[in-house]
PDB file of all heavy atoms in Angstrom:
ATOM      1  N   PHE N 153     -22.818   7.078 -21.757  1.00  0.00           N
ATOM      2  CA  PHE N 153     -23.731   6.024 -21.300  1.00  0.00           C
ATOM      3  C   PHE N 153     -23.818   6.058 -19.781  1.00  0.00           C
ATOM      4  O   PHE N 153     -23.013   5.466 -19.080  1.00  0.00           O
ATOM      5  CB  PHE N 153     -23.228   4.676 -21.812  1.00  0.00           C
ATOM      6  CG  PHE N 153     -24.131   3.525 -21.489  1.00  0.00           C
ATOM      7  CD1 PHE N 153     -25.489   3.683 -21.360  1.00  0.00           C
ATOM      8  CD2 PHE N 153     -23.608   2.259 -21.335  1.00  0.00           C
ATOM      9  CE1 PHE N 153     -26.324   2.618 -21.067  1.00  0.00           C
ATOM     10  CE2 PHE N 153     -24.417   1.171 -21.041  1.00  0.00           C
ATOM     11  CZ  PHE N 153     -25.782   1.361 -20.909  1.00  0.00           C
ATOM     12  N   ASN N 154     -24.820   6.745 -19.261  1.00  0.00           N
ATOM     13  CA  ASN N 154     -24.934   6.956 -17.818  1.00  0.00           C
ATOM     14  C   ASN N 154     -25.050   5.662 -17.025  1.00  0.00           C
ATOM     15  O   ASN N 154     -24.485   5.533 -15.946  1.00  0.00           O
ATOM     16  CB  ASN N 154     -26.149   7.844 -17.517  1.00  0.00           C
ATOM     17  CG  ASN N 154     -25.947   9.278 -17.937  1.00  0.00           C
ATOM     18  OD1 ASN N 154     -25.290  10.049 -17.260  1.00  0.00           O
ATOM     19  ND2 ASN N 154     -26.500   9.643 -19.092  1.00  0.00           N
ATOM     20  N   MET N 155     -25.790   4.697 -17.553  1.00  0.00           N
ATOM     21  CA  MET N 155     -25.959   3.428 -16.839  1.00  0.00           C
ATOM     22  C   MET N 155     -24.639   2.686 -16.655  1.00  0.00           C
ATOM     23  O   MET N 155     -24.488   1.897 -15.728  1.00  0.00           O
ATOM     24  CB  MET N 155     -26.921   2.525 -17.615  1.00  0.00           C
ATOM     25  CG  MET N 155     -28.364   2.649 -17.207  1.00  0.00           C
ATOM     26  SD  MET N 155     -29.315   1.333 -17.972  1.00  0.00           S
ATOM     27  CE  MET N 155     -28.539  -0.116 -17.265  1.00  0.00           C
ATOM     28  N   GLY N 156     -23.689   2.954 -17.556  1.00  0.00           N
ATOM     29  CA  GLY N 156     -22.436   2.218 -17.502  1.00  0.00           C
ATOM     30  C   GLY N 156     -21.352   2.853 -16.659  1.00  0.00           C
ATOM     31  O   GLY N 156     -20.301   2.249 -16.451  1.00  0.00           O
ATOM     32  N   HIS N 157     -21.577   4.074 -16.162  1.00  0.00           N
ATOM     33  CA  HIS N 157     -20.531   4.775 -15.427  1.00  0.00           C
ATOM     34  C   HIS N 157     -19.964   3.951 -14.274  1.00  0.00           C
ATOM     35  O   HIS N 157     -18.748   3.750 -14.168  1.00  0.00           O
ATOM     36  CB  HIS N 157     -21.075   6.095 -14.864  1.00  0.00           C
ATOM     37  CG  HIS N 157     -21.187   7.175 -15.886  1.00  0.00           C
ATOM     38  ND1 HIS N 157     -21.694   8.419 -15.601  1.00  0.00           N
ATOM     39  CD2 HIS N 157     -20.855   7.214 -17.211  1.00  0.00           C
ATOM     40  CE1 HIS N 157     -21.673   9.171 -16.681  1.00  0.00           C
ATOM     41  NE2 HIS N 157     -21.183   8.457 -17.673  1.00  0.00           N
ATOM     42  N   LEU N 158     -20.847   3.496 -13.379  1.00  0.00           N
ATOM     43  CA  LEU N 158     -20.368   2.805 -12.176  1.00  0.00           C
ATOM     44  C   LEU N 158     -19.705   1.466 -12.503  1.00  0.00           C
ATOM     45  O   LEU N 158     -18.597   1.193 -12.014  1.00  0.00           O
ATOM     46  CB  LEU N 158     -21.519   2.619 -11.187  1.00  0.00           C
ATOM     47  CG  LEU N 158     -22.070   3.912 -10.569  1.00  0.00           C
ATOM     48  CD1 LEU N 158     -23.204   3.594  -9.597  1.00  0.00           C
ATOM     49  CD2 LEU N 158     -20.979   4.688  -9.845  1.00  0.00           C
ATOM     50  N   PRO N 159     -20.330   0.589 -13.320  1.00  0.00           N
ATOM     51  CA  PRO N 159     -19.651  -0.679 -13.638  1.00  0.00           C
ATOM     52  C   PRO N 159     -18.306  -0.470 -14.324  1.00  0.00           C
ATOM     53  O   PRO N 159     -17.331  -1.172 -14.022  1.00  0.00           O
ATOM     54  CB  PRO N 159     -20.648  -1.388 -14.566  1.00  0.00           C
ATOM     55  CG  PRO N 159     -21.972  -0.806 -14.225  1.00  0.00           C
ATOM     56  CD  PRO N 159     -21.690   0.620 -13.874  1.00  0.00           C
ATOM     57  N   LEU N 160     -18.219   0.501 -15.235  1.00  0.00           N
ATOM     58  CA  LEU N 160     -16.962   0.725 -15.934  1.00  0.00           C
ATOM     59  C   LEU N 160     -15.907   1.294 -14.992  1.00  0.00           C
ATOM     60  O   LEU N 160     -14.716   0.977 -15.118  1.00  0.00           O
ATOM     61  CB  LEU N 160     -17.176   1.667 -17.121  1.00  0.00           C
ATOM     62  CG  LEU N 160     -18.109   1.143 -18.221  1.00  0.00           C
ATOM     63  CD1 LEU N 160     -18.193   2.127 -19.371  1.00  0.00           C
ATOM     64  CD2 LEU N 160     -17.677  -0.229 -18.711  1.00  0.00           C
ATOM     65  N   ALA N 161     -16.341   2.134 -14.059  1.00  0.00           N
ATOM     66  CA  ALA N 161     -15.405   2.646 -13.055  1.00  0.00           C
ATOM     67  C   ALA N 161     -14.871   1.500 -12.199  1.00  0.00           C
ATOM     68  O   ALA N 161     -13.663   1.421 -11.923  1.00  0.00           O
ATOM     69  CB  ALA N 161     -16.088   3.692 -12.173  1.00  0.00           C
ATOM     70  N   PHE N 162     -15.758   0.592 -11.780  1.00  0.00           N
ATOM     71  CA  PHE N 162     -15.324  -0.582 -11.015  1.00  0.00           C
ATOM     72  C   PHE N 162     -14.338  -1.409 -11.828  1.00  0.00           C
ATOM     73  O   PHE N 162     -13.347  -1.925 -11.296  1.00  0.00           O
ATOM     74  CB  PHE N 162     -16.535  -1.439 -10.630  1.00  0.00           C
ATOM     75  CG  PHE N 162     -17.187  -1.049  -9.347  1.00  0.00           C
ATOM     76  CD1 PHE N 162     -18.068   0.011  -9.291  1.00  0.00           C
ATOM     77  CD2 PHE N 162     -16.914  -1.728  -8.170  1.00  0.00           C
ATOM     78  CE1 PHE N 162     -18.674   0.391  -8.111  1.00  0.00           C
ATOM     79  CE2 PHE N 162     -17.502  -1.369  -6.976  1.00  0.00           C
ATOM     80  CZ  PHE N 162     -18.394  -0.301  -6.939  1.00  0.00           C
ATOM     81  N   ALA N 163     -14.620  -1.555 -13.121  1.00  0.00           N
ATOM     82  CA  ALA N 163     -13.731  -2.350 -13.981  1.00  0.00           C
ATOM     83  C   ALA N 163     -12.341  -1.736 -14.044  1.00  0.00           C
ATOM     84  O   ALA N 163     -11.329  -2.444 -13.982  1.00  0.00           O
ATOM     85  CB  ALA N 163     -14.330  -2.462 -15.388  1.00  0.00           C
ATOM     86  N   LEU N 164     -12.265  -0.413 -14.166  1.00  0.00           N
ATOM     87  CA  LEU N 164     -10.965   0.256 -14.258  1.00  0.00           C
ATOM     88  C   LEU N 164     -10.191   0.150 -12.949  1.00  0.00           C
ATOM     89  O   LEU N 164      -8.994  -0.156 -12.942  1.00  0.00           O
ATOM     90  CB  LEU N 164     -11.169   1.720 -14.644  1.00  0.00           C
ATOM     91  CG  LEU N 164     -11.618   1.968 -16.089  1.00  0.00           C
ATOM     92  CD1 LEU N 164     -12.027   3.422 -16.278  1.00  0.00           C
ATOM     93  CD2 LEU N 164     -10.507   1.603 -17.065  1.00  0.00           C
TER      94      LEU N 164
END
Side-chain angles (χ1 to χ4, degrees):
F153 184 30
N154 289 281
M155 268 190 62
H157 283 178
L158 293 180
L160 297 183
F162 272 80
L164 289 170

